[in-house]
């Protein structure tokens, strides 16, 4: 259970001068380290701060049930509202004398009983979060209906190098679907994918299907996000799935827009589904749709990789003619790709 | 969302951009071909490529190959057959190399 970051401990030297409602004596050792983080948003609650200093000596036994009792007692008797640091300190001190599992259970308990408690990163240094911790935390938050907090937590933890595993992630997505619009859901998935490289399973598609069964209508944004997420994964099954989506979108009268096509094209090329890719490109061309830089680049590269250089030049021509890109951009992409092709051919990576 | 390697292409590198679009005084074969005394590398490429298309110089069996006519040969190192993939590189040869120490 490592060292405690100084930011964790509140600066409580000032507050010691105030009166403290609890009856038990003030502990001898008082944390001296001053928090390095910027001051908390809420105003100082002197009693609570002091209480957290006290937390050190409160947990006499590693047993979970007595820990819970102590916790409840403190909560019940402290008149002022309890801040996050208090919880954190409690948890930390408990964690130092008990098993990881028990401290997680205590956390769970805290979550249930304290509606204002929102665990953040600082809660976790005590029990170095791993996917299990994360998972339990997320599940607890979802159970008590605090999905937004769960999402926040996931993002924070991912920043901290302990991203949720697939189970957690999918669980969260399911919960999100239950109580949020689909576009939020897919926005979330998209965020996770682009920032943290977490890939949703096809399970997500299952969820999506379920949503439709329950009568929630996806809109253009939803579809776009879904296609974006799936096609970025670069996996064939998902890309083929995407193409089906486009068909479905049209059937629903939800006309796919340029973004949809471009994203899909990008995805198809990445997966080397060139036949479908060229079909799509043909459709876009006849519709006079503009190419985006990314899909243009990927398409040119994919064609060159297959030795279809003349077609790549065609795409270049189209890009210039439709003014999808500036001459300079279109040309330099082409040039760079051809340079790459030369090297790749030498290495046997391309035709 | 450009892949990292492509981002380095042009927009980040003003020197390379200049290299592509600055007008340059040309050696005679190129000058004759384009009919101008100055042209940028990009402009030259576009001219050559449209010349190829207009005159149907691409091999009908393999569009990746170009059968050069006399005019084209004069600027593409006298080659009678050229691969499309090589075209930008060949054209680049006519343009002065910017020494790395400059600017």
């Amino acid at each position: 259970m490592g060292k405690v970051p100084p930011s964790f401990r509140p600066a409580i030297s000032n507050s010691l001068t105030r009166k403290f409602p609890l009856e038990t004596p003030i502990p001898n050792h008082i944390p001296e380290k001053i928090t390095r983080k910027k001051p908390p948003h809420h105003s100082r609650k002197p009693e609570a701060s002091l209480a957290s200093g006290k937390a050190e000596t409160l947990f006499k036994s590693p047993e979970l049930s007595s820990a819970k009792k102590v916790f409840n007692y403190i909560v019940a008797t402290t008149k002022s509202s309890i801040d996050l640091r208090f919880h954190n300190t409690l948890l930390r001190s408990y964690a130092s004398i008990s098993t990881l599992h028990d401290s997680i259970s205590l956390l769970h308990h805290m979550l249930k009983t304290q509606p204002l408690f929102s665990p953040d990163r600082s809660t976790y240094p005590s029990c170095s979060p791993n996917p299990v911790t994360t998972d339990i935390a997320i599940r607890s938050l979802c159970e008590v209906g605090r999905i937004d907090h769960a999402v926040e937590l996931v993002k924070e933890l991912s920043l901290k190098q302990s991203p949720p595993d697939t189970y957690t992630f999918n669980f969260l997505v399911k919960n999100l679907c239950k109580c949020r619009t689909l576009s939020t859901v897919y926005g979330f998935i998209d965020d996770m994918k682009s920032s943290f490289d977490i890939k949703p399973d096809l399970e997500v598609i299952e969820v999506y299907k379920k949503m439709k069964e329950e009568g929630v209508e996806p809109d253009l944004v939803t579809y776009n996000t879904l296609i974006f997420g799936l096609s970025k994964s670069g996996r064939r099954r998902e890309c083929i799935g995407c193409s089906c989506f486009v068909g479905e979108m049209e059937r629903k009268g939800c006309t796919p827009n340029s973004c949809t096509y471009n994203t899909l094209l990008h995805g198809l090329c990445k997966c080397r589904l060139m036949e479908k890719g060229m079909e799509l490109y043909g459709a876009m061309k006849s519709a006079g749709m503009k190419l985006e830089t990314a899909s243009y680049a990927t398409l040119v590269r994919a064609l060159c990789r297959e030795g279809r250089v003349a077609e790549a030049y065609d795409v270049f021509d189209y890009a210039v003619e439709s003014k999808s890109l500036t001459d300079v951009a279109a040309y330099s992409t082409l040039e760079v790709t051809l340079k790459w092709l030369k090297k790749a051919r030498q290495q046997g990576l391309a035709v | 969302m450009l892949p990292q390697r492509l981002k380095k292409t042009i927009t980040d590198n003003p020197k390379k951009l200049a290299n592509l679009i600055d007008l340059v005084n040309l050696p005679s074969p190129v000058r004759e071909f384009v009919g101008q005394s100055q042209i940028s590398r990009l402009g030259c490429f576009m001219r050559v490529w449209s010349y190829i298309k207009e005159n149907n110089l691409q091999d009908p069996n393999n569009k990746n190959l170009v059968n050069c006519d006399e005019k084209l040969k004069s600027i593409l190192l006298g080659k009678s057959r050229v691969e499309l993939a090589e075209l930008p590189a060949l054209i680049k040869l006519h343009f002065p190399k910017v020494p790395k120490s400059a600017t």
Side-chain angles (χ1 to χ4, degrees):
Chain A
M1 313 284 166
K3 42 189 169 138
V4 178
S7 51
F8 204 4
R9 312 278 214 124
I12 63 168
S13 36
N14 294 336
S15 47
L16 284 179
T17 54
R18 311 270 190 119
K19 242 182 130 181
F20 184 67
L22 285 190
E23 288 161 8
T24 40
I26 293 167
N28 290 335
H29 90 276
I30 288 158
E32 279 161 7
K33 289 183 191 162
I34 311 271
T35 176
R36 265 196 237 129
K37 274 196 183 157
K38 58 179 191 230
H41 302 296
H42 50 268
S43 55
R44 289 280 170 80
K45 305 266 190 289
E47 291 90 354
S49 310
L50 195 54
S52 36
K54 278 190 46 53
E56 285 282 294
T57 53
L58 284 174
F59 291 114
K60 300 286 179 205
S61 103
E63 275 209 42
L64 184 57
S65 45
S66 46
K68 281 188 185 166
K69 280 191 206 149
V70 173
F71 175 70
N72 290 336
Y73 171 69
I74 295 173
V75 166
T77 55
T78 310
K79 295 204 175 93
S80 58
S81 56
I82 303 184
D83 66 356
L84 174 63
R85 285 197 303 276
F86 174 59
H87 287 94
N88 289 348
T89 325
L90 269 185
L91 198 58
R92 190 194 49 75
S93 53
Y94 182 62
S96 58
I97 53 172
S98 72
T99 64
L100 183 61
H101 188 259
D102 282 345
S103 40
I104 294 172
S105 309
L106 184 61
L107 172 65
H108 196 133
H109 176 80
M110 284 182 179
L111 282 167
K112 278 199 176 141
T113 55
Q114 286 299 301
L116 295 175
F117 176 38
S118 169
D120 66 4
R121 285 186 254 180
S122 47
T123 315
Y124 289 97
S126 58
C127 36
S128 43
N130 58 15
V132 178
T133 326
T134 325
D135 192 64
I136 296 183
I138 306 285
R139 280 176 204 268
S140 336
L141 282 171
C142 291
E143 272 164 40
V144 300
R146 288 158 55 186
I147 300 258
D148 293 324
H149 287 133
V151 174
E152 289 288 319
L153 181 60
V154 164
K155 288 188 177 158
E156 290 223 33
L157 287 174
S158 306
L159 278 170
K160 251 205 129 180
Q161 310 300 319
S162 48
D165 63 9
T166 331
Y167 296 116
T168 318
F169 183 65
N170 284 318
F171 177 80
L172 184 53
V173 170
K174 273 193 196 140
N175 272 284
L176 270 175
C177 288
K178 284 189 205 150
C179 31
R180 297 278 182 277
T181 63
L182 214 48
S183 23
T184 322
V185 180
Y186 290 107
F188 169 67
I189 293 175
D190 188 43
D191 264 343
M192 296 306 287
K193 283 176 81 58
S194 48
S195 338
F196 306 121
D197 200 38
I198 298 176
K199 299 180 177 144
D201 287 8
L202 284 182
E203 201 187 305
V204 170
I205 307 254
E206 298 302 320
V207 174
Y208 165 74
K209 283 185 189 153
K210 211 190 289 176
M211 285 315 292
K212 289 207 314 170
E213 282 162 23
E214 296 179 18
V216 175
E217 276 309 306
D219 63 356
L220 182 61
V221 177
T222 320
Y223 278 115
N224 278 349
T225 322
L226 175 60
I227 289 173
F228 180 79
L230 289 174
S231 60
K232 286 294 188 238
S233 72
R235 276 144 67 178
R236 288 200 157 202
R237 268 163 85 201
E238 274 127 336
C239 290
I240 296 175
C242 283
S243 325
C244 303
F245 269 123
V246 176
E248 187 181 306
M249 282 169 82
E250 281 166 352
R251 278 196 301 275
K252 291 200 170 247
C254 193
T255 20
N257 63 6
S258 160
C259 175
T260 324
Y261 281 113
N262 272 294
T263 322
L264 184 52
L265 184 60
H266 185 108
L268 287 171
C269 293
K270 268 183 92 172
C271 307
R272 321 232 190 140
L273 288 164
M274 285 320 291
E275 209 187 285
K276 282 210 162 274
M278 287 313 279
E279 239 180 77
L280 186 64
Y281 168 66
M284 288 169 78
K285 204 171 165 182
S286 39
M289 230 179 248
K290 290 196 178 177
L291 285 169
E292 285 174 13
T293 18
S295 43
Y296 165 73
T298 320
L299 182 55
V300 167
R301 178 174 272 244
L303 284 170
C304 288
R305 192 189 270 121
E306 293 193 353
R308 293 154 78 169
V309 178
E311 289 177 69
Y313 268 70
D314 263 345
V315 177
F316 163 73
D317 279 338
Y318 176 67
V320 166
E321 179 203 318
S322 63
K323 300 204 183 291
S324 316
L325 279 80
T326 59
D327 285 7
V328 179
Y331 175 72
S332 39
T333 307
L334 180 65
E335 191 179 15
V336 163
T337 313
L338 288 175
K339 245 197 211 163
W340 163 84
L341 179 64
K342 192 170 177 195
K343 282 218 180 101
R345 277 176 176 171
Q346 285 166 0
Q347 296 172 349
L349 293 173
V351 175
Chain B
M1 238 197 273
L2 278 173
Q4 243 358 83
R5 42 185 183 268
L6 280 176
K7 260 206 188 118
K8 291 180 196 154
T9 308
I10 210 71
T11 35
D12 287 4
N13 198 329
K15 257 193 239 167
K16 283 202 183 143
L17 183 65
N19 183 253
L20 190 56
I21 59 177
D22 275 352
L23 295 181
V24 160
N25 285 321
L26 296 168
S28 29
V30 185
R31 207 185 306 169
E32 271 182 39
F33 185 87
V34 303
Q36 288 167 214
S37 52
Q38 287 190 329
I39 199 169
S40 64
R41 179 154 66 87
L42 177 58
C44 185
F45 173 82
M46 302 298 264
R47 290 288 284 265
V48 173
W49 173 229
S50 45
Y51 182 84
I52 292 173
K53 280 183 288 182
E54 280 162 22
N55 295 291
N56 298 312
L57 295 176
Q58 280 169 289
D59 188 331
N61 295 325
N62 180 0
K63 293 231 148 180
N64 295 342
L65 283 180
V66 177
N67 296 316
C68 302
D69 64 0
E70 287 308 313
K71 275 196 96 173
L72 207 52
K73 266 194 218 173
S74 66
I75 57 166
L76 292 181
L77 302 182
K79 287 186 169 185
S80 48
R81 300 240 298 181
V82 160
E83 269 200 50
L84 266 189
E86 304 174 312
L87 194 59
L90 286 170
I91 292 178
K92 200 171 184 180
L93 290 174
H94 291 288
F95 287 79
K97 248 212 269 187
V98 180
K100 290 222 166 133
S101 52
T103 332

